[in-house]
Amino acid sequence: MSREDYELVVGVEVHAELSTKTKIFCSCPTTFGAAPNTQTCPICMAMPGTLPVLNEKVVEYAVKAGLATNCTISQDSKNDRKNYFYPDLPKAYQISQYDKPLCKEGYVEIDTKEGKKKIGIERIHIEEDTGKLNHDDFSGGSLLDLNRAGVPLIETVSKPDMRSIEEVDSYLRKLKSIFEYIEVSDCKMQEASFRADVNVSVHKPGEPFGTRTEMKGMDSFRSIARAIEYEKNRQIDVIEEGGTVYQETLRWDDVSGKTFPMRDKEDAEDYRYFPEPDLVAIKLSEEYIENIKNNLPELPESRKQRYLEEYKLSEKDANIITSSKYLSELFEGSIKVCNNPKAVNNWIISDISRILNETEMDPIEIPFDCNQLGKLVILIDKGTISSSIGKKVLEELFENPRDPEEIIKEKGWIQISDEGAIKEVVTKILEANPQSIADFKAGKDRALGFLVGQAMKETKGKANPQMLNKMFLEELNK
Amino acid sequence: MNKITDLTVHELIEKLANKELTITEITQAYIDRINEKEKDVKAFITPLTDEALEKAKEIQAKVEAGELNGAFAGIPIGIKDNLCTKGVKTTCASKMLENFVSPYSATIVENIEKENIINLGKLNMDEFAMGSSTENSYFAKTRNPWNLNKVPGGSSGGSAAAVAANLVPWALGSDTGGSIRQPASLCGVVGLKPTYGLVSRFGLVAFASSLDQIGPITKDVKDAAMLLNLIAGHDEKDTTSVDVEKKDYVQALKNDVKGLKIAVPKEFFGEGINEEVKASLEKAIEKYKELGAEVEEVSLDIAKYALATYYIIACAEASSNLGRFDGIRYGYRAPEAKDLKEIFKKSRSEGFGPEVKRRIILGTYVLSSGYYDAYYKKAQQARTLVMKEFNKVFENYDVILTPTSPVTAFDIGSKSENPLEMYLADICTVSVNIAGLPGISIPCGVDSEGLPIGMQLIGNKFQEETILNAAYTYEQATNFRNTYKPEFKGGAN
Amino acid sequence: MQVSKEEILHIANLAMLDLNENEIEKYRENLNDILDFSETIKNAHTEDLDVTIGANEAKNIFRKDEVKKFEDTESLLQNAPSQAQNMFKIPKVIQ
C-alpha cells in the first residue's frame, strides 16, 4: 500500500496566554522579558503556606473565548489540581480544570478547498503556565526562572476533526485571529504566548482512528506543518512495516526535522486530578454570560463580510486581511488617513504580506502604524513619489519607521515633476539612443518602454513616469 | 511558684492596666520559666527569648512614652511552627525545613504583631502536623507537663505543653483532625478549633487544605475567646475564609446555660472509650444539668466512617500539598543527588519522616487511577453524609458533647509503632473537621494517674459563641485550674 | 484488599519517594491495615449524595486584576539550596 491510502487525523490543544495585567492566582505582573525571578512572589513561587486567589479577568476572558468559538458556557465550574513533578511546576501541581471546564462543545469555521468546514472544540479551560528552565552555559546546569509561573492560560482542545496540514494551519490561524479580535491574548508565537500540542494519527478511511502521538509546545506554523508531515509518514511507515504506533509524547526537533520520544516509558502518566480545595466553586449567572456576549467585539468572520460589501475586496484578499486583527486594524486605519481602500489593500496583500512571509514576522510585530502607511499612499496618489519609490519607502518603514515624508526628504526621493527638468532628461536619453527612436518609428511600441526605463534609471526612479511617457511620445511623434 | 506565669492573659492585661506589672517583668518571668522548665518539656523548636526581651523593652518604652496603647501590647505568645513568621525559622518540625526562613508572615501572625504581642518562640509539633503525640517531630519529643513520660498529644503538642507548663501564657495551634483539641485535652488546657473559614489559613503550611484551621490554646475559656477575637475574620488572601460579621466572643461569655440544649451522642461513649474518661464525662453531664442545661442522649452514628473519611481526604490533600517540597527552591536538597530525579527522590525520602511518607503514600494511592472512585470520591460523599447527620442533630440541639480523646495521655513510644492505633486517638475529633464545625476542648477532671481528661463541645457552623459560653459556664462552676496542676512527674528517661 | 509490592513501588514513584526494602514492606502492611479499616466507609449510605469538596459552600471569590508587586524578591531566593544569576540552579535537564 502507499502513503496515499492513509488519512491523516489531527486534533490540537492550543495554549494561549491571556493578556491580563496580573497572574492567575497572585498579583504579580505578567510582562514578558523581565529579569529572572523579579515578577514573582511567595504565591507563584509556591512558598509553604501560600494560597491562590483567582483573577476575575481570567474567568471573563475564558468566557469571551468560549462565546467567540460557539461554546456552551458552564454555569457550574471549578478548579482542579493536576499533580506531577517537574522543576518548572513549583507546587508540583498545576491548578487547571478537569471535569467542569468553563466552556464546552463549540466550533470554529475554516475555509477548505471543498468549502467551509466546522472544526469542533471539545472544551476551553483555564489553567496556570509553568516557569522556564534556562541552560546555564557557565556550569552546564539548568536555571529556573519563575516569572512565567502562574501566567494565565486558556487551553482550547479541538476535536480530532482535521484531515490535512492545510486544515490544521487554517484552524490555528482562525483561532489565533479570534483570540486577537476579542483581545484575550496577544497570541505572540515568538513569546510562546500562543502554542499548540498537536495530536497526530493515521488510519485508512472507513477504519477506526489509529493510535495518536502528541507533539508538545509547538510555536511556529512552519514547524507544525513540518512536524505533522514527518509524524504522519513515520506512523504510516511503522504500520506498513508491521509495527505498532505507541501512544506517547514526542518532541519535535526543528534542526534535524525529526520527532523524539519525550519521557521515559516507565513513568506512566497518572496526574491524580482532584478538586482544588483552596479555591471555591465558580458559578456564573445567565446575566454575567449574557453581558459578556453582548459586549463581544466584531469577529473575523463578520469583519470579512463587511470588507466584501463596504470595500468590495475579493474573498481571498478579505481572508488575508481579516486573518489578523493587527492587519485589519492597519487596513482600516490607513483608509481613514488616505481614503484609498484599493491602494491600501494592494500594499497589504502584496508587499507587506511578502515581507512578513520572508522575515517570518507576525503582523503584531509590524513596526509602523496606519498613519505612516496612509501617508505613503497619499504621497503616491499626489504624485510626490512614484510607486517604485513607494516600495523603497515601505522597506524603510520596516527598517526604521518614521514619517514617509521625512524619509523621502532625507533620501532625496521626491519625484521630479518639473517640466523643464523632465524635458532635459528626455532630450538626453533620446540623444543617447537613436536606435530606439528608429525602432519606435518602425512601429515597435516596446521602444517607448525602454526609453522611459532608461530615463527612470537616469533619475534614480524619481522622475514622474506619466510625464516621462507623455513627453517621450510628444518628442517621438514630432 | 512563679506567680506571673500562673496568670491567664486576661489577668495579665488587668495587672498591666493597673500598673501592678510591667511588660518587661512579664516577658522576663516567662524567660525565667522557660530557662527552668524547657529542658524537661521540650516544647520549643526555636525559642526567641532574647528577641522577645528586646521587643518587650521596646514596647515598654513606647507605652511609657504614650506612643502606643492597646490592651494586648507586650503580652507574650507561643506560635506553632507551621505558621510562617518572616525572618524567623518555620520548620514544621521537619528536616525538610530545618533551616527554612519564610519570606512572609502568615496573616494571623501579622494580626498578632499589629497588636504588639510578643513572639516567645516557635513551638514543637508532629512533622507537618501529622500525628497525635508530637513524637513525629524531627527535633525532639515534647513531654507532657503532667507526667514527663507521657506524650502531650498532637500535633500541636508543643503549644499545649507550653501553655500547661506556663512557658507561654497562650499559644496558637492548628487543627486538621483534632490537633488543637486532643493535645489540649491531654495537657489539661483549653483548645478551640474554629469553624472552617472563620480564620485565615494564609501562611499556615498546609496539611489538608479543606480541613486545616488555626485556633487558640489557652489556660482558660476567656483567653480563648480573646485570642479568637484577634484571629477571626475574612482575609482576601484566603478565598475559603468567610466574610462573616465580626463578633466579640468575650461578650458571649454569659456564665449561664439555662435552657441550653445539649446532645450527647451515645456512639461517642462506646467501645474504645476509656472507662475513667467516660465516668468523668458523665459527671460533667450531671454538672450541666445542675446548671440548667437540657441534656439528652442522641444517636450520631458517624464516628467509624468519619475516621476513614478523614484519613482518605486528609492524606489525599497532603500528598498534593507536600509536592512542593522538592529540593529545588527551598528546603532540604540531598547533597549527593546528581540528576533531577535524584534531587526529587532523595531529597524527599531523606527530608520527610516515616509518618509523613506513610501519609503521602496513602494519599497518592487513593487518588491514583483505578482507586479514585472507590476511596476518594466515596470519602467525599461520606463527607456530605457526615454533614447531613450533624445538621440533623443541630436542628434540635445547640451543642454536642463528647469526650475529646478516648484515652488520657499515653506513654511516649507506646503507640508509635502502630499507625492505625495512633489514628484511633482522633476518633472523637475528626468528624468535626470533616463537617467544618467549631469544637472546643476543656478539662473536666483527671484519671487515677492524675492525667487530665478533656470534654469536647461541638457547635453548629459559626456558633463559636454558643460553645464558648457553654465551656465558660462549666469552667466557672468547676474551676479545674485551681484544683489540679501539672506536676512534672517522672522524666529523665 | 491487598496492595502488592509493585503497587507500592508505583505509588512511591508517583510521589517521588525512594523506599528501601524495609520501608516497602512496612508501608505495604500499613497501607493494607488502613485500607482494611477504610472498608467501613463502604457501608456508609452515600447513594445519590453529592461530593463535598470544601467545608464551606462559598462561590465566586475573585481578585481584581490589579498589580501588587512583591517588593522583597531577593528574599524569595534566600532559601535556595543552589542558585546562580538570580535563578534556582539544578543539574542539567534535557527537555
Side-chain angles (χ1 to χ4, degrees):
Chain A
M1 296 199 68
S2 76
R3 281 177 174 173
E4 281 66 47
D5 296 324
Y6 287 86
E7 183 180 52
L8 173 71
V9 176
V10 181
V12 294
E13 294 155 23
V14 168
H15 290 88
E17 280 185 355
L18 298 180
S19 47
T20 52
K21 293 193 201 80
T22 65
K23 293 187 178 182
I24 182 167
F25 298 121
C26 64
S27 303
C28 287
T30 53
T31 331
F32 181 80
N37 291 313
T38 55
Q39 302 201 336
T40 53
C41 74
I43 298 169
C44 53
M45 280 224 173
M47 286 291 164
T50 53
L51 298 170
V53 185
L54 182 53
N55 181 344
E56 62 179 2
K57 281 279 172 213
V58 172
V59 177
E60 186 188 318
Y61 284 11
V63 170
K64 257 185 169 178
L67 291 169
T69 52
N70 309 294
C71 285
T72 306
I73 308 302
S74 314
Q75 289 186 264
D76 179 18
S77 185
K78 67 175 168 72
N79 297 100
D80 298 277
R81 290 187 184 178
K82 177 182 182 179
N83 297 283
Y84 66 94
F85 283 87
Y86 206 69
D88 65 7
L89 187 69
K91 294 190 293 295
Y93 57 83
Q94 179 190 36
I95 305 179
S96 179
Q97 297 194 285
Y98 184 54
D99 56 344
K100 289 180 172 183
L102 273 170
C103 319
K104 286 181 291 198
E105 296 298 322
Y107 66 88
V108 297
E109 222 168 40
I110 59 167
D111 293 301
T112 69
K113 279 172 277 176
E114 294 82 34
K116 294 211 181 297
K117 178 175 175 178
K118 278 182 185 171
I119 305 296
I121 288 174
E122 200 173 288
R123 55 187 282 157
I124 301 179
H125 68 251
I126 55 174
E127 61 184 27
E128 56 186 329
D129 209 344
T130 59
K132 256 190 102 163
L133 281 168
N134 301 302
H135 185 67
D136 182 11
D137 290 323
F138 182 67
S139 70
S142 292
L143 296 173
L144 176 64
D145 171 15
L146 292 172
N147 280 347
R148 201 181 64 179
V151 167
L153 295 174
I154 48 172
E155 178 174 339
T156 306
V157 182
S158 86
K159 296 194 170 155
D161 285 353
M162 286 154 274
R163 295 290 175 271
S164 68
I165 292 169
E166 294 71 37
E167 286 183 11
V168 176
D169 194 75
S170 307
Y171 168 74
L172 288 173
R173 287 183 196 273
K174 191 58 168 278
L175 199 64
K176 181 169 179 284
S177 74
I178 291 171
F179 290 167
E180 286 173 1
Y181 273 67
I182 58 174
E183 295 179 334
V184 299
S185 172
D186 59 22
C187 296
K188 288 185 186 167
M189 294 179 90
Q190 310 71 20
E191 295 175 9
S193 74
F194 186 90
R195 53 188 197 261
D197 301 342
V198 183
N199 290 286
V200 174
S201 69
V202 295
H203 74 140
K204 289 176 194 147
E207 291 181 5
F209 287 171
T211 306
R212 67 192 157 90
T213 57
E214 182 176 19
M215 290 171 285
K216 281 207 182 276
M218 311 281 299
D219 55 10
S220 110
F221 290 119
R222 194 170 293 183
S223 330
I224 289 169
R226 287 179 67 203
I228 295 173
E229 179 71 25
Y230 173 86
E231 187 53 22
K232 174 183 133 188
N233 291 331
R234 186 191 70 84
Q235 290 184 10
I236 293 171
D237 292 347
V238 167
I239 296 166
E240 283 293 300
E241 283 157 25
T244 314
V245 174
Y246 294 101
Q247 184 169 343
E248 58 186 341
T249 306
L250 303 172
R251 181 178 60 88
W252 166 254
D253 180 52
D254 224 23
V255 180
S256 65
K258 288 180 178 168
T259 57
F260 298 95
M262 223 162 86
R263 292 204 177 94
D264 304 344
K265 292 233 171 62
E266 80 222 44
D267 291 342
E269 280 174 21
D270 185 350
Y271 292 127
R272 291 156 285 135
Y273 278 101
F274 74 102
E276 167 57 281
D278 285 330
L279 290 167
V280 297
I282 306 168
K283 306 227 179 201
L284 303 179
S285 67
E286 265 170 52
E287 296 92 301
Y288 175 89
I289 299 166
E290 208 49 38
N291 188 38
I292 293 177
K293 199 180 211 165
N294 294 337
N295 288 301
L296 271 187
E298 187 182 33
L299 293 173
E301 198 53 38
S302 66
R303 188 168 292 189
K304 188 181 118 187
Q305 289 306 321
R306 185 159 64 79
Y307 286 3
L308 294 179
E309 287 156 29
E310 208 170 306
Y311 302 117
K312 311 282 179 241
L313 299 194
S314 72
E315 176 101 13
K316 184 169 162 272
D317 290 359
N319 266 336
I320 292 174
I321 293 178
T322 57
S323 73
S324 155
K325 171 171 168 268
Y326 305 100
L327 277 187
S328 80
E329 278 174 355
L330 182 66
F331 176 69
E332 293 191 38
S334 303
I335 291 170
K336 282 206 185 95
V337 175
C338 68
N339 202 21
N340 185 347
K342 198 162 173 280
V344 176
N345 179 34
N346 283 336
W347 280 109
I348 292 177
I349 296 303
S350 54
D351 293 272
I352 293 175
S353 291
R354 178 182 49 80
I355 294 170
L356 291 181
N357 267 332
E358 281 168 7
T359 54
E360 277 194 72
M361 193 187 278
D362 195 285
I364 193 175
E365 296 172 292
I366 293 175
F368 55 87
D369 62 22
C370 58
N371 283 319
Q372 292 162 337
L373 181 60
K375 273 199 178 158
L376 171 60
V377 173
I378 291 174
L379 288 172
I380 296 167
D381 286 351
K382 284 200 312 198
T384 316
I385 55 169
S386 65
S387 50
S388 59
I389 290 290
K391 286 180 202 286
K392 289 162 93 174
V393 173
L394 183 72
E395 271 163 30
E396 195 60 27
L397 283 177
F398 270 100
E399 281 299 307
N400 177 18
R402 52 201 194 280
D403 189 340
E405 227 159 330
E406 226 171 84
I407 296 174
I408 59 172
K409 264 187 209 150
E410 200 181 288
K411 301 269 179 188
W413 286 344
I414 296 174
Q415 187 160 269
I416 304 166
S417 302
D418 175 75
E419 219 162 302
I422 298 277
K423 178 107 191 208
E424 217 171 278
V425 179
V426 167
T427 311
K428 191 178 168 194
I429 295 297
L430 286 173
E431 273 168 14
N433 295 285
Q435 185 58 46
S436 296
I437 300 172
D439 287 349
F440 183 81
K441 304 259 184 202
K444 289 184 183 163
D445 288 348
R446 271 185 307 147
L448 175 64
F450 175 77
L451 290 167
V452 172
Q454 290 301 106
M456 287 302 272
K457 207 169 162 190
E458 177 70 23
T459 58
K460 298 195 175 78
K462 289 188 287 186
N464 183 324
Q466 282 84 34
M467 287 178 74
L468 277 180
N469 235 331
K470 197 172 150 236
M471 211 164 282
F472 271 119
L473 273 175
E474 279 172 15
E475 290 297 318
L476 290 166
N477 290 330
K478 263 184 189 164
Chain B
M1 190 131 214
N2 192 325
K3 287 261 168 55
I4 295 176
T5 55
D6 265 348
L7 300 172
T8 61
V9 172
H10 58 87
E11 286 163 350
L12 288 174
I13 288 173
E14 211 178 284
K15 293 198 186 299
L16 277 174
N18 297 340
K19 312 246 183 269
E20 284 174 61
L21 283 176
T22 66
I23 288 164
T24 39
E25 276 173 342
I26 294 172
T27 302
Q28 189 59 56
Y30 274 103
I31 293 170
D32 294 345
R33 179 73 179 176
I34 289 167
N35 288 337
E36 181 197 344
K37 291 290 181 192
E38 169 61 6
K39 61 181 189 304
D40 294 329
V41 181
K42 300 188 174 77
F44 287 89
I45 291 175
T46 308
L48 296 168
T49 46
D50 293 347
E51 296 85 343
L53 195 58
E54 279 302 304
K55 190 88 190 156
K57 286 176 185 163
E58 192 187 304
I59 294 170
Q60 177 74 41
K62 280 189 185 163
V63 169
E64 279 166 13
E67 292 164 20
L68 206 159
N69 52 25
F72 297 98
I75 298 291
I77 197 167
I79 298 175
K80 188 177 181 180
D81 209 20
N82 59 352
L83 281 159
C84 286
T85 45
K86 188 176 175 172
V88 174
K89 279 197 277 187
T90 300
T91 70
C92 294
S94 180
K95 181 181 179 184
M96 181 60 86
L97 293 177
E98 189 171 5
N99 299 306
F100 177 74
V101 178
S102 173
Y104 76 101
S105 283
T107 300
I108 294 323
V109 171
E110 283 184 346
N111 286 359
I112 296 286
E113 281 170 358
K114 255 179 243 149
E115 297 291 336
N116 291 293
I117 290 174
I118 298 170
N119 183 4
L120 269 177
K122 303 295 291 289
L123 296 165
N124 201 15
M125 54 188 278
D126 284 300
E127 185 180 2
F128 285 104
M130 296 176 181
S132 309
S133 67
T134 314
E135 290 167 290
N136 299 331
S137 167
Y138 172 67
F139 301 103
K141 290 178 173 54
T142 297
R143 309 288 172 135
N144 192 316
W146 296 74
N147 181 331
L148 299 174
N149 296 322
K150 306 280 182 182
V151 302
S155 69
S156 310
S159 298
V163 172
N166 291 339
L167 305 180
V168 296
W170 57 3
L172 286 169
S174 71
D175 188 317
T176 307
S179 281
I180 286 175
R181 290 158 290 158
Q182 186 259 10
S185 170
L186 269 48
C187 290
V189 293
V190 175
L192 170 70
K193 184 209 89 84
T195 307
Y196 185 83
L198 184 66
V199 178
S200 165
R201 293 184 295 117
F202 190 80
L204 167 66
V205 181
F207 161 14
S209 310
S210 75
L211 303 163
D212 296 341
Q213 270 292 284
I214 298 165
I217 295 179
T218 57
K219 292 180 185 181
D220 71 359
V221 176
K222 191 171 177 185
D223 278 5
M226 286 195 310
L227 191 45
L228 186 62
N229 275 347
L230 297 182
I231 63 174
H234 176 64
D235 177 12
E236 58 182 28
K237 292 180 186 154
D238 175 5
T239 61
T240 64
S241 82
V242 179
D243 204 354
V244 286
E245 187 196 352
K246 193 94 184 156
K247 291 174 179 169
D248 181 349
Y249 297 99
V250 178
Q251 286 294 314
L253 309 177
K254 308 283 188 214
N255 198 11
D256 180 6
V257 290
K258 278 185 209 74
L260 186 80
K261 300 194 76 177
I262 300 177
V264 177
K266 57 176 188 282
E267 290 83 359
F268 283 73
F269 290 80
E271 198 193 335
I273 308 293
N274 172 287
E275 288 304 322
E276 289 188 272
V277 171
K278 249 188 251 183
S280 183
L281 264 289
E282 270 150 23
K283 269 175 74 185
I285 290 167
E286 286 314 308
K287 180 54 91 181
Y288 269 118
K289 286 181 182 164
E290 262 174 50
L291 292 165
E294 296 170 26
V295 187
E296 283 174 3
E297 192 176 271
V298 298
S299 173
L300 183 62
D301 195 9
I302 51 167
K304 291 187 305 293
Y305 56 78
L307 191 64
T309 300
Y310 170 77
Y311 274 95
I312 290 167
I313 290 175
C315 292
E317 292 180 7
S319 73
S320 174
N321 284 332
L322 270 60
R324 67 187 61 195
F325 302 103
D326 58 6
I328 306 276
R329 286 151 291 119
Y330 48 76
Y332 178 77
R333 180 186 287 191
E336 76 282 12
K338 288 183 294 291
D339 58 27
L340 180 62
K341 204 130 197 204
E342 283 193 6
I343 287 189
F344 287 156
K345 287 196 164 179
K346 286 193 193 298
S347 304
R348 290 167 60 76
S349 304
E350 294 166 20
F352 291 141
E355 182 61 27
V356 173
K357 285 192 265 191
R358 179 164 22 250
R359 296 198 193 192
I360 289 174
I361 287 170
L362 174 62
T364 306
Y365 181 85
V366 298
L367 287 176
S368 69
S369 146
Y371 301 105
Y372 183 90
D373 284 355
Y375 292 104
Y376 188 73
K377 191 168 174 221
K378 182 76 179 174
Q380 282 187 313
Q381 288 175 315
R383 187 169 190 178
T384 311
L385 186 64
V386 170
M387 287 175 165
K388 276 187 189 285
E389 294 297 313
F390 269 114
N391 282 343
K392 266 192 230 162
V393 178
F394 283 118
E395 277 170 23
N396 298 311
Y397 299 91
D398 305 308
V399 173
I400 297 171
L401 186 155
T402 75
T404 308
S405 164
V407 293
T408 54
F410 43 91
D411 287 339
I412 289 171
S414 64
K415 291 189 183 185
S416 45
E417 285 310 304
N418 187 338
L420 187 58
E421 201 184 319
M422 188 71 91
Y423 294 177
L424 286 167
D426 299 333
I427 188 105
C428 300
T429 45
V430 292
S431 52
V432 175
N433 300 75
I434 293 285
L437 302 172
I440 190 169
S441 177
I442 53 167
C444 65
V446 295
D447 69 3
S448 49
E449 284 187 81
L451 294 168
I453 294 166
M455 162 169 70
Q456 176 176 236
L457 301 170
I458 306 165
N460 206 346
K461 280 190 178 175
F462 301 106
Q463 298 303 309
E464 276 78 4
E465 289 162 296
T466 310
I467 55 171
L468 280 165
N469 178 48
Y472 181 73
T473 309
Y474 174 86
E475 179 189 79
Q476 294 302 304
T478 52
N479 215 343
F480 176 90
R481 277 188 70 235
N482 291 343
T483 318
Y484 307 100
K485 289 195 193 307
E487 287 166 354
F488 303 90
K489 273 190 246 170
N493 62 333
Chain C
M1 184 81 220
Q2 282 293 307
V3 179
S4 68
K5 182 181 169 184
E6 287 66 37
E7 277 182 289
I8 289 285
L9 287 172
H10 169 66
I11 294 299
N13 192 44
L14 283 176
M16 288 291 173
L17 292 171
D18 257 345
L19 302 181
N20 62 34
E21 284 300 319
N22 285 340
E23 286 176 309
I24 294 168
E25 197 36 44
K26 192 176 72 186
Y27 288 137
R28 201 180 67 82
E29 276 173 34
N30 294 158
L31 189 55
N32 279 326
D33 283 354
I34 297 161
L35 292 175
D36 277 347
F37 175 76
S38 300
E39 291 296 305
T40 54
I41 202 176
K42 305 226 159 112
N43 301 324
H45 296 293
T46 59
E47 301 79 20
D48 312 322
L49 284 183
D50 285 341
V51 299
T52 295
I53 293 165
N56 63 42
E57 283 133 45
K59 56 173 194 208
N60 296 348
I61 300 179
F62 302 137
R63 176 174 58 77
K64 292 244 176 291
D65 186 26
E66 288 164 4
V67 174
K68 276 182 217 151
K69 276 212 84 169
F70 183 78
E71 293 304 334
D72 191 9
T73 47
E74 251 171 58
S75 71
L76 296 172
L77 275 96
Q78 73 190 2
N79 292 289
S82 175
Q83 58 165 298
Q85 300 163 46
N86 213 45
M87 289 182 272
F88 301 99
K89 195 170 157 188
I90 52 174
K92 189 179 176 187
V93 176
I94 307 127
Q95 290 196 79

